[in-house]
Amino acid sequence: MSVVKPKDLALTEERLAPGHRLCPGCGEPTTVKLVLKASDDPVIVCSATGCLEVSTSIYPYTSWNVPWIHSAFENAAATAAGVEAAIKALKRKGVYKYDKVNVLAVAGDGGTFDIGFQALSGAFERYHRIVYLLLDNEAYMNTGIQRSGGTPSYASTTTSPDGRVIPGKIQTKKQISRIMVEHEPAYVATISAAFWQDLIQKAKKAFAADGPAFLHSITPCPRGWRHADNISIELCRLAVQTCIFPLWEAEKVEGKMVYKLSAPSKQIAKNPDKKKPVVEYLKLQGRYRHLFKPEEKTDLINKIQEWVDTEWDIILERCGEK
Ligand SMILES: Cc1ncc(C[n+]2csc(CCOP(=O)(O)OP(=O)(O)O)c2C)c(N)n1
Ligand code: SF4
């Protein structure tokens, strides 16, 4: 696929308009804007309840320059599947004027890892041609920072608060993207707004796929992660550089899912010295403050590093880099 230049992006239509009510520094609008720019065809967006949905659709205003449908929290994928099926039926009857329309479901980690998972799994098993974009800010942010299946270990949330009883969430993060690969869809990829060229190429592939596609975005939330709102993109970059969020894709080739490491992570695989310690990522976020104050909890930080190393090894193995 041809390389996209910043100028090309600047010239394309903004499908999510400025003036929405998402917080300053929120990672959600940046990711959504970039993904929508990857489609030259019309897009219909199905948005699950969450920060993006409530902040862009406050009556009587809308931030969406595309057809947009609100879904319940638990069923963005089912809504998207219904839209895709309706388009097919209208085409069959010869009353649909577009050749190709893309259907994009968007949901947070709460709406994906947990409550919307059955709708997502069902839509992928039925092989609807939809693109599902997961905005993973690693907690239920819209309702006040509750832990989700996507919250990583030792992050402090309102339902996994650090204190005398626990040091933040005690379970590990569910590996949702690898679970989605096991559905054997057309395409799965992880994306980070700091590596926007990679993001755009993957979103293009997702829209071109002949079946369900899943895009998993690491999406900083200054409010829930408790970081300065001007370092969101820096955190998107560090997540990749520390390998806590490696960039990879998996495509169905002759009926088999083939994993491939993406360039920013491949560079680290080839030069392991470039892998930054995860502590560099953790120390910028207040949700991990208890790991550093009043004294540094080296044992817990080491456990996070061990988890990162194990998961990175799994990805390297799947991508044939080991
Ligand atoms: C069935 C149901 N349960 C609970 C809620 C309340 N609710 C609305 S948004 C939300 C959290 C959304 O979290 P997430 O999906 O992670 O998205 P974020 O706001 O973090 O972007 C919850 C619990 C709801 N709308 N519907
Ligand atoms: S609470 Fe977090 S996810 Fe929600 S709008 Fe604010 S920064 Fe974005």
Side-chain angles (χ1 to χ4, degrees):
M1 245 172 244
S2 60
V3 174
V4 181
K5 299 189 192 90
K7 194 177 81 180
D8 303 335
L9 282 189
L11 293 175
T12 56
E13 178 198 11
E14 291 294 351
R15 287 168 156 179
L16 176 65
H20 52 68
R21 269 79 151 190
L22 290 142
C23 305
C26 177
E28 295 194 349
T30 312
T31 305
V32 172
K33 281 180 179 202
L34 287 170
V35 167
L36 284 171
K37 280 178 182 280
S39 171
D40 295 329
D41 300 304
V43 183
I44 299 173
V45 174
C46 308
S47 187
T49 304
C51 276
L52 182 79
E53 182 255 358
V54 301
S55 307
T56 56
S57 61
I58 300 168
Y59 183 80
Y61 304 106
T62 175
S63 308
W64 297 93
N65 283 329
V66 290
W68 180 89
I69 181 167
H70 155 71
S71 291
F73 185 33
E74 58 272 42
N75 59 5
T79 307
V83 171
E84 189 245 10
I87 292 172
K88 262 194 201 152
L90 292 173
K91 271 192 183 164
R92 224 172 14 243
K93 290 181 184 165
V95 292
Y96 201 70
K97 68 173 180 174
Y98 299 103
D99 284 338
K100 187 168 182 281
V101 172
N102 293 317
V103 183
L104 178 71
V106 189
D109 50 291
T112 304
F113 288 72
D114 306 333
I115 191 166
F117 185 71
Q118 63 85 16
L120 169 62
S121 181
F124 271 50
E125 184 269 328
R126 293 190 306 277
Y127 222 74
H128 287 278
R129 199 187 75 80
I130 60 171
V131 177
Y132 189 101
L133 171 62
L134 158 59
L135 298 173
D136 186 4
N137 54 25
E138 302 188 321
Y140 292 63
M141 296 306 181
N142 181 234
T143 40
I145 322 170
Q146 296 90 16
R147 58 83 89 193
S148 78
T151 306
S153 301
Y154 309 134
S156 186
T157 71
T158 52
T159 49
S160 63
D162 72 286
R164 270 179 291 120
V165 182
I166 51 166
K169 183 182 164 183
I170 49 174
Q171 299 84 6
T172 51
K173 183 182 176 89
K174 191 196 278 187
Q175 291 296 356
I176 191 79
S177 292
R178 299 212 304 265
I179 295 170
M180 294 320 294
V181 175
E182 294 302 317
H183 285 69
E184 302 183 356
Y187 188 65
V188 176
T190 60
I191 52 176
S192 160
F195 299 93
W196 59 269
Q197 290 272 13
D198 179 72
L199 182 156
I200 296 264
Q201 297 300 349
K202 285 170 171 169
K204 279 182 184 290
K205 271 191 175 179
F207 286 125
D210 193 19
F214 186 80
L215 296 173
H216 180 180
S217 156
I218 182 78
T219 311
C221 163
R223 208 175 94 75
W225 294 15
R226 309 253 178 247
H227 63 78
D229 59 25
N230 62 351
I231 61 160
S232 294
I233 294 297
E234 182 56 24
L235 285 171
C236 284
R237 188 173 300 112
L238 271 173
V240 176
Q241 291 172 333
T242 58
C243 300
I244 197 168
F245 193 83
L247 294 179
W248 53 270
E249 60 187 347
E251 248 178 298
K252 195 184 248 177
V253 183
E254 291 168 8
K256 210 177 142 202
M257 295 309 289
V258 177
Y259 277 81
K260 197 171 131 203
L261 214 52
S262 314
S265 290
K266 195 157 178 145
Q267 278 178 10
I268 301 171
K270 298 280 171 232
N271 308 285
D273 297 350
K274 290 206 161 128
K275 185 175 175 216
K276 294 194 173 174
V278 74
V279 68
E280 289 192 24
Y281 173 75
L282 305 178
K283 72 184 175 197
L284 296 175
Q285 304 174 49
R287 62 180 173 157
Y288 296 113
R289 190 175 296 125
H290 55 289
L291 300 182
F292 301 95
K293 281 180 184 162
E295 74 289 333
E296 192 156 312
K297 316 258 185 339
T298 321
D299 54 333
L300 299 181
I301 296 170
N302 286 347
K303 275 194 184 163
I304 298 178
Q305 186 65 59
E306 275 166 32
W307 181 83
V308 169
D309 294 347
T310 306
E311 298 296 320
W312 172 238
D313 271 353
I314 293 172
I315 285 300
L316 289 180
E317 211 171 86
R318 301 256 161 113
C319 295
E321 301 282 343
K322 240 182 131 76

mmCIF file of all heavy atoms in Angstrom, residues 28 49-52 73-74 107-112 115 135 137 139-143 146 148, ligand 1:
data_model
loop_
_atom_site.group_PDB
_atom_site.id
_atom_site.type_symbol
_atom_site.label_atom_id
_atom_site.label_comp_id
_atom_site.label_asym_id
_atom_site.label_seq_id
_atom_site.Cartn_x
_atom_site.Cartn_y
_atom_site.Cartn_z
ATOM 1 N N GLU A 28 -9.063 9.376 22.359
ATOM 2 C CA GLU A 28 -10.136 8.810 21.527
ATOM 3 C C GLU A 28 -10.349 9.561 20.207
ATOM 4 O O GLU A 28 -10.342 8.933 19.142
ATOM 5 C CB GLU A 28 -11.428 8.712 22.341
ATOM 6 C CG GLU A 28 -11.300 7.730 23.500
ATOM 7 C CD GLU A 28 -12.628 7.321 24.136
ATOM 8 O OE1 GLU A 28 -13.666 7.950 23.819
ATOM 9 O OE2 GLU A 28 -12.624 6.374 24.934
ATOM 10 N N THR A 49 -22.193 3.103 23.911
ATOM 11 C CA THR A 49 -22.139 4.081 25.000
ATOM 12 C C THR A 49 -20.731 4.101 25.599
ATOM 13 O O THR A 49 -20.106 3.064 25.762
ATOM 14 C CB THR A 49 -23.163 3.696 26.090
ATOM 15 O OG1 THR A 49 -24.436 3.610 25.471
ATOM 16 C CG2 THR A 49 -23.201 4.725 27.183
ATOM 17 N N GLY A 50 -20.264 5.281 25.921
ATOM 18 C CA GLY A 50 -18.918 5.468 26.463
ATOM 19 C C GLY A 50 -18.555 6.926 26.249
ATOM 20 O O GLY A 50 -19.375 7.702 25.742
ATOM 21 N N CYS A 51 -17.329 7.300 26.599
ATOM 22 C CA CYS A 51 -16.939 8.712 26.498
ATOM 23 C C CYS A 51 -17.149 9.280 25.100
ATOM 24 O O CYS A 51 -17.693 10.366 24.939
ATOM 25 C CB CYS A 51 -15.479 8.878 26.897
ATOM 26 S SG CYS A 51 -15.275 9.029 28.676
ATOM 27 N N LEU A 52 -16.706 8.541 24.064
ATOM 28 C CA LEU A 52 -16.788 9.070 22.703
ATOM 29 C C LEU A 52 -18.238 9.374 22.343
ATOM 30 O O LEU A 52 -18.555 10.439 21.807
ATOM 31 C CB LEU A 52 -16.208 8.055 21.705
ATOM 32 C CG LEU A 52 -16.207 8.558 20.268
ATOM 33 C CD1 LEU A 52 -15.040 9.510 20.018
ATOM 34 C CD2 LEU A 52 -16.159 7.407 19.276
ATOM 35 N N PHE A 73 -24.641 -0.004 25.316
ATOM 36 C CA PHE A 73 -23.269 -0.246 25.763
ATOM 37 C C PHE A 73 -22.794 -1.630 25.321
ATOM 38 O O PHE A 73 -21.621 -1.830 24.991
ATOM 39 C CB PHE A 73 -23.313 -0.136 27.298
ATOM 40 C CG PHE A 73 -22.015 -0.233 27.997
ATOM 41 C CD1 PHE A 73 -20.838 0.237 27.442
ATOM 42 C CD2 PHE A 73 -21.970 -0.777 29.271
ATOM 43 C CE1 PHE A 73 -19.644 0.161 28.142
ATOM 44 C CE2 PHE A 73 -20.792 -0.854 29.970
ATOM 45 C CZ PHE A 73 -19.631 -0.385 29.406
ATOM 46 N N GLU A 74 -23.709 -2.587 25.309
ATOM 47 C CA GLU A 74 -23.322 -3.994 25.152
ATOM 48 C C GLU A 74 -23.370 -4.518 23.720
ATOM 49 O O GLU A 74 -23.037 -5.685 23.497
ATOM 50 C CB GLU A 74 -24.200 -4.878 26.049
ATOM 51 C CG GLU A 74 -25.704 -4.782 25.797
ATOM 52 C CD GLU A 74 -26.387 -3.668 26.602
ATOM 53 O OE1 GLU A 74 -25.816 -2.573 26.690
ATOM 54 O OE2 GLU A 74 -27.500 -3.897 27.097
ATOM 55 N N ALA A 107 -16.085 1.114 20.176
ATOM 56 C CA ALA A 107 -16.438 0.903 21.583
ATOM 57 C C ALA A 107 -15.200 0.986 22.453
ATOM 58 O O ALA A 107 -14.075 0.794 21.988
ATOM 59 C CB ALA A 107 -17.110 -0.458 21.755
ATOM 60 N N GLY A 108 -15.410 1.242 23.725
ATOM 61 C CA GLY A 108 -14.316 1.284 24.693
ATOM 62 C C GLY A 108 -13.959 -0.114 25.173
ATOM 63 O O GLY A 108 -14.540 -1.116 24.713
ATOM 64 N N ASP A 109 -13.022 -0.169 26.128
ATOM 65 C CA ASP A 109 -12.626 -1.489 26.639
ATOM 66 C C ASP A 109 -13.741 -2.110 27.478
ATOM 67 O O ASP A 109 -13.981 -3.320 27.391
ATOM 68 C CB ASP A 109 -11.322 -1.403 27.448
ATOM 69 C CG ASP A 109 -11.352 -0.310 28.486
ATOM 70 O OD1 ASP A 109 -11.344 0.861 28.088
ATOM 71 O OD2 ASP A 109 -11.425 -0.620 29.680
ATOM 72 N N GLY A 110 -14.477 -1.293 28.243
ATOM 73 C CA GLY A 110 -15.597 -1.848 29.006
ATOM 74 C C GLY A 110 -16.605 -2.474 28.066
ATOM 75 O O GLY A 110 -17.107 -3.591 28.297
ATOM 76 N N GLY A 111 -16.894 -1.765 26.958
ATOM 77 C CA GLY A 111 -17.868 -2.250 25.980
ATOM 78 C C GLY A 111 -17.344 -3.380 25.107
ATOM 79 O O GLY A 111 -18.105 -3.948 24.318
ATOM 80 N N THR A 112 -16.079 -3.723 25.236
ATOM 81 C CA THR A 112 -15.484 -4.740 24.351
ATOM 82 C C THR A 112 -14.981 -5.963 25.124
ATOM 83 O O THR A 112 -15.453 -7.076 24.900
ATOM 84 C CB THR A 112 -14.309 -4.119 23.556
ATOM 85 O OG1 THR A 112 -14.784 -2.985 22.851
ATOM 86 C CG2 THR A 112 -13.710 -5.120 22.575
ATOM 87 N N ILE A 115 -18.583 -6.237 28.623
ATOM 88 C CA ILE A 115 -20.040 -6.306 28.444
ATOM 89 C C ILE A 115 -20.468 -6.527 26.990
ATOM 90 O O ILE A 115 -21.489 -7.141 26.748
ATOM 91 C CB ILE A 115 -20.698 -5.059 29.086
ATOM 92 C CG1 ILE A 115 -22.211 -5.242 29.160
ATOM 93 C CG2 ILE A 115 -20.302 -3.796 28.404
ATOM 94 C CD1 ILE A 115 -22.885 -4.255 30.063
ATOM 95 N N LEU A 135 -11.336 1.295 21.391
ATOM 96 C CA LEU A 135 -10.600 2.414 21.986
ATOM 97 C C LEU A 135 -10.278 2.000 23.414
ATOM 98 O O LEU A 135 -11.118 2.111 24.311
ATOM 99 C CB LEU A 135 -11.460 3.680 21.958
ATOM 100 C CG LEU A 135 -11.857 4.180 20.569
ATOM 101 C CD1 LEU A 135 -12.850 5.336 20.681
ATOM 102 C CD2 LEU A 135 -10.636 4.616 19.755
ATOM 103 N N ASN A 137 -8.834 2.519 26.697
ATOM 104 C CA ASN A 137 -8.227 3.412 27.701
ATOM 105 C C ASN A 137 -8.139 2.708 29.047
ATOM 106 O O ASN A 137 -7.903 3.324 30.072
ATOM 107 C CB ASN A 137 -8.965 4.755 27.788
ATOM 108 C CG ASN A 137 -10.449 4.579 28.033
ATOM 109 O OD1 ASN A 137 -10.887 3.556 28.580
ATOM 110 N ND2 ASN A 137 -11.241 5.557 27.649
ATOM 111 N N ALA A 139 -10.054 1.301 31.242
ATOM 112 C CA ALA A 139 -11.020 1.364 32.356
ATOM 113 C C ALA A 139 -12.348 1.905 31.811
ATOM 114 O O ALA A 139 -12.415 2.384 30.687
ATOM 115 C CB ALA A 139 -10.518 2.236 33.488
ATOM 116 N N TYR A 140 -13.378 1.796 32.632
ATOM 117 C CA TYR A 140 -14.683 2.381 32.295
ATOM 118 C C TYR A 140 -14.566 3.851 32.687
ATOM 119 O O TYR A 140 -14.808 4.221 33.837
ATOM 120 C CB TYR A 140 -15.777 1.742 33.136
ATOM 121 C CG TYR A 140 -16.087 0.295 32.858
ATOM 122 C CD1 TYR A 140 -15.161 -0.707 33.048
ATOM 123 C CD2 TYR A 140 -17.373 -0.076 32.440
ATOM 124 C CE1 TYR A 140 -15.469 -2.036 32.818
ATOM 125 C CE2 TYR A 140 -17.699 -1.407 32.216
ATOM 126 C CZ TYR A 140 -16.739 -2.381 32.407
ATOM 127 O OH TYR A 140 -17.050 -3.691 32.195
ATOM 128 N N MET A 141 -14.157 4.693 31.733
ATOM 129 C CA MET A 141 -13.853 6.082 32.078
ATOM 130 C C MET A 141 -15.110 6.930 32.195
ATOM 131 O O MET A 141 -15.219 7.780 33.075
ATOM 132 C CB MET A 141 -12.902 6.691 31.046
ATOM 133 C CG MET A 141 -11.544 6.007 31.008
ATOM 134 S SD MET A 141 -10.792 5.972 32.654
ATOM 135 C CE MET A 141 -9.239 5.153 32.300
ATOM 136 N N ASN A 142 -16.067 6.692 31.297
ATOM 137 C CA ASN A 142 -17.242 7.558 31.238
ATOM 138 C C ASN A 142 -18.044 7.567 32.530
ATOM 139 O O ASN A 142 -18.696 8.548 32.869
ATOM 140 C CB ASN A 142 -18.117 7.104 30.067
ATOM 141 C CG ASN A 142 -19.341 7.927 29.893
ATOM 142 O OD1 ASN A 142 -20.452 7.429 29.850
ATOM 143 N ND2 ASN A 142 -19.153 9.219 29.823
ATOM 144 N N THR A 143 -17.968 6.462 33.275
ATOM 145 C CA THR A 143 -18.759 6.392 34.507
ATOM 146 C C THR A 143 -17.881 6.543 35.746
ATOM 147 O O THR A 143 -18.310 6.220 36.848
ATOM 148 C CB THR A 143 -19.542 5.068 34.542
ATOM 149 O OG1 THR A 143 -18.698 4.029 34.042
ATOM 150 C CG2 THR A 143 -20.794 5.139 33.702
ATOM 151 N N GLN A 146 -13.801 2.888 36.538
ATOM 152 C CA GLN A 146 -13.871 1.556 37.149
ATOM 153 C C GLN A 146 -12.985 0.581 36.369
ATOM 154 O O GLN A 146 -12.843 0.713 35.153
ATOM 155 C CB GLN A 146 -15.322 1.028 37.150
ATOM 156 C CG GLN A 146 -16.294 1.833 38.002
ATOM 157 C CD GLN A 146 -16.969 2.946 37.222
ATOM 158 O OE1 GLN A 146 -16.961 2.969 36.008
ATOM 159 N NE2 GLN A 146 -17.566 3.885 37.943
ATOM 160 N N SER A 148 -11.650 -2.600 34.283
ATOM 161 C CA SER A 148 -12.272 -3.479 33.285
ATOM 162 C C SER A 148 -11.340 -4.658 33.051
ATOM 163 O O SER A 148 -10.243 -4.724 33.617
ATOM 164 C CB SER A 148 -12.485 -2.728 31.966
ATOM 165 O OG SER A 148 -11.251 -2.634 31.256
HETATM 166 C C1 LIG B 1 -25.969 -2.204 30.266
HETATM 167 C C2 LIG B 1 -25.307 -0.947 30.751
HETATM 168 N N1 LIG B 1 -24.583 -0.994 31.893
HETATM 169 C C3 LIG B 1 -23.972 0.126 32.335
HETATM 170 C C4 LIG B 1 -24.089 1.292 31.636
HETATM 171 C C5 LIG B 1 -23.425 2.554 32.166
HETATM 172 N N2 LIG B 1 -22.258 2.930 31.388
HETATM 173 C C6 LIG B 1 -22.292 3.833 30.392
HETATM 174 S S1 LIG B 1 -20.805 4.153 29.721
HETATM 175 C C7 LIG B 1 -20.058 3.061 30.782
HETATM 176 C C8 LIG B 1 -18.567 2.887 30.767
HETATM 177 C C9 LIG B 1 -17.953 2.845 29.406
HETATM 178 O O1 LIG B 1 -16.632 2.393 29.504
HETATM 179 P P1 LIG B 1 -15.797 1.998 28.236
HETATM 180 O O2 LIG B 1 -16.566 1.088 27.364
HETATM 181 O O3 LIG B 1 -14.476 1.489 28.697
HETATM 182 O O4 LIG B 1 -15.643 3.364 27.437
HETATM 183 P P2 LIG B 1 -14.941 4.742 27.871
HETATM 184 O O5 LIG B 1 -15.986 5.588 28.503
HETATM 185 O O6 LIG B 1 -13.817 4.412 28.789
HETATM 186 O O7 LIG B 1 -14.468 5.316 26.579
HETATM 187 C C10 LIG B 1 -20.992 2.462 31.632
HETATM 188 C C11 LIG B 1 -20.671 1.482 32.694
HETATM 189 C C12 LIG B 1 -24.851 1.306 30.444
HETATM 190 N N3 LIG B 1 -24.974 2.397 29.681
HETATM 191 N N4 LIG B 1 -25.451 0.163 30.026
#
